[in-house]
């Protein structure tokens, strides 16, 4: 049926919190925030968002809710979710705290089961753009990567919407 292709999907992404982040500031704390991207199979960023900065903590609670529209449900099954956690500095660039990537299968399971997912933060695979993140690099990080410190907690859900 062609009717299904006319359905938009409203995707809801919630970055709830992070735990046990590494300290990055002289006071033994960090000022963490997270940036996420939903990236399709060809490396195009479909949606993205940033949480607010939470000051002086290693266990930030964001409960940041993001909504984005996708053409149809099949598009979600080809996407992955990338989350990077940073420490906001007053002067200079933000310090990298960790990286998490949910592959399409994990993302689909989180949506289907309606679960809150915890992901261990890993070292950055050395790329800062989605197009450079090859399957080989991603597999190396996933299999051989040692968690830096901490974890990110998130939830993803969707609902169909008529155009």
């Amino acid at each position: 049926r062609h009717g299904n292709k006319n359905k938009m999907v409203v995707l809801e992404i919630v970055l709830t919190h992070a735990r046990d982040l590494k300290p990055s500031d002289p006071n033994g704390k960090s000022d963490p925030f997270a940036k996420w991207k939903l990236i399709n199979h060809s490396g195009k960023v479909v949606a993205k968002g940033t949480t607010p900065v939470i000051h002086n903590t290693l266990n930030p609670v964001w409960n940041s809710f993001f909504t984005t529209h996708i053409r149809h449900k099949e598009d979600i099954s080809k996407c992955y979710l990338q989350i990077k956690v940073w420490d906001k500095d007053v002067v200079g660039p933000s310090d990298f705290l960790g990286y998490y990537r949910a592959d399409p299968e994990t993302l689909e399971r989180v949506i289907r089961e309606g679960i809150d997912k915890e992901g261990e933060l890993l070292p950055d695979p050395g790329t800062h753009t989605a197009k450079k993140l090859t399957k080989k690099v991603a597999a190396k990080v996933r299999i051989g990567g040692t968690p830096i410190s901490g974890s990110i907690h998130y939830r993803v859900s969707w609902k169909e919407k008529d155009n």
Side-chain angles (χ1 to χ4, degrees):
R1 244 179 87 186
H2 294 288
N4 197 25
K5 295 228 179 212
N6 293 328
K7 296 250 185 199
M8 289 289 289
V9 175
V10 179
L11 193 66
E12 297 169 343
I13 298 172
V14 182
L15 295 185
T16 57
H17 64 285
R19 289 209 311 235
D20 302 322
L21 297 176
K22 73 175 184 176
S24 188
D25 294 338
N27 66 1
K29 302 284 184 181
S30 288
D31 302 312
F33 67 99
K35 289 185 171 192
W36 66 269
K37 293 179 183 178
L38 188 66
I39 303 166
N40 71 15
H41 64 283
S42 62
K44 180 182 175 192
V45 175
V46 177
K48 62 183 178 176
T50 303
T51 67
V53 175
I54 307 293
H55 295 282
N56 296 314
T57 185
L58 300 178
N59 300 292
V61 176
W62 295 295
N63 286 321
S64 292
F65 182 89
F66 304 92
T67 303
T68 188
H69 294 79
I70 307 291
R71 285 196 191 158
H72 45 82
K73 191 167 60 173
E74 290 77 27
D75 288 347
I76 296 170
S77 66
K78 299 172 186 167
C79 290
Y80 65 89
L81 179 66
Q82 170 185 289
I83 303 170
K84 290 186 179 184
V85 180
W86 301 87
D87 167 59
K88 180 73 174 171
D89 285 336
V90 178
V91 179
S94 298
D95 298 321
F96 178 73
L97 296 179
Y99 166 90
Y100 172 77
R101 179 179 182 264
D103 59 31
E105 295 79 23
T106 301
L107 191 56
E108 218 172 341
R109 192 179 83 243
V110 168
I111 293 169
R112 185 178 61 248
E113 296 175 6
I115 59 173
D116 285 3
K117 176 71 174 154
E118 176 181 12
E120 287 187 331
L121 294 175
L122 299 172
D124 191 351
T127 60
H128 292 285
T129 62
K131 290 181 181 179
K132 292 181 183 175
L133 184 64
T134 64
K135 286 183 180 178
K136 185 176 178 184
V137 170
K140 185 176 179 183
V141 169
R142 188 171 57 250
I143 295 166
T146 305
I148 289 182
S149 177
S151 59
I152 186 84
H153 298 252
Y154 68 95
R155 196 168 57 242
V156 182
S157 61
W158 66 269
K159 58 186 170 192
E160 288 185 357
K161 176 184 172 185
D162 289 318
N163 280 353

